[in-house]
C-alpha cells in the first residue's frame, strides 16, 4: 500500500476527512521515527513490536570480485509481529 491508499483507508475506517487522516498518519510516522532514533521500543498490543537492534561490524565479500570488504556496525529496525496479527494473516 502507498501512503495515499493508507490515508484513504484510515479516513474511511475512522470517519475522518482525508486531510485529518493524512495528519494522523504523518504524526504517527514522526512519533515512531523519533522514538526509534532514541532507541526506544514501540509495542502495539495485538499488532507487534518495533525495536532497534545493534548490528556488529563484520567482514563480507563482494560477490562480483570475491574481494573481502569491511561492513560497518549499524543500528537496524526490527519488527516482531504479535499473536493476533500472526493469527489474522494465517
Amino acid at each position: 500500500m502507498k501512503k495515499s491508499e493508507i490515508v484513504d483507508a484510515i479516513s474511511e475506517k475512522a470517519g475522518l476527512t482525508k486531510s485529518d487522516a493524512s495528519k494522523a498518519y504523518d504524526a504517527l510516522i514522526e512519533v515512531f521515527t523519533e522514538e526509534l532514533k532514541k532507541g526506544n521500543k514501540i509495542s502495539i498490543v495485538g499488532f507487534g513490536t518495533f525495536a532497534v537492534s545493534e548490528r556488529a561490524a563484520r567482514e563480507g565479500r563482494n560477490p562480483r570480485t570475491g574481494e573481502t570488504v569491511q561492513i560497518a556496525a549499524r543500528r537496524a529496525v526490527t519488527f516482531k509481529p504479535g499473536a493476533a496479527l500472526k493469527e489474522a494473516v494465517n
Side-chain angles (χ1 to χ4, degrees):
M1 284 181 96
K2 296 178 185 175
K3 178 182 175 180
S4 61
E5 294 168 331
I6 294 170
V7 168
D8 290 343
I10 292 171
S11 173
E12 184 179 317
K13 295 249 183 205
L16 300 171
T17 65
K18 287 186 182 182
S19 175
D20 287 343
S22 181
K23 288 177 187 175
Y25 173 89
D26 291 339
L28 179 69
I29 298 300
E30 186 177 328
V31 168
F32 275 31
T33 301
E34 289 171 359
E35 290 304 311
L36 291 170
K37 272 182 169 178
K38 294 176 191 174
N40 295 334
K41 189 173 9 173
I42 300 169
S43 296
I44 302 171
V45 176
F47 184 73
T49 302
F50 295 88
V52 176
S53 67
E54 301 290 332
R55 302 278 169 106
R58 60 189 171 92
E59 271 190 5
R61 293 209 179 271
N62 180 332
R64 185 176 298 172
T65 64
E67 177 185 349
T68 303
V69 294
Q70 190 64 24
I71 300 171
R74 64 184 184 96
R75 294 170 51 176
V77 176
T78 59
F79 175 72
K80 182 178 178 187
L85 180 60
K86 286 182 190 177
E87 188 177 307
V89 171
N90 289 321

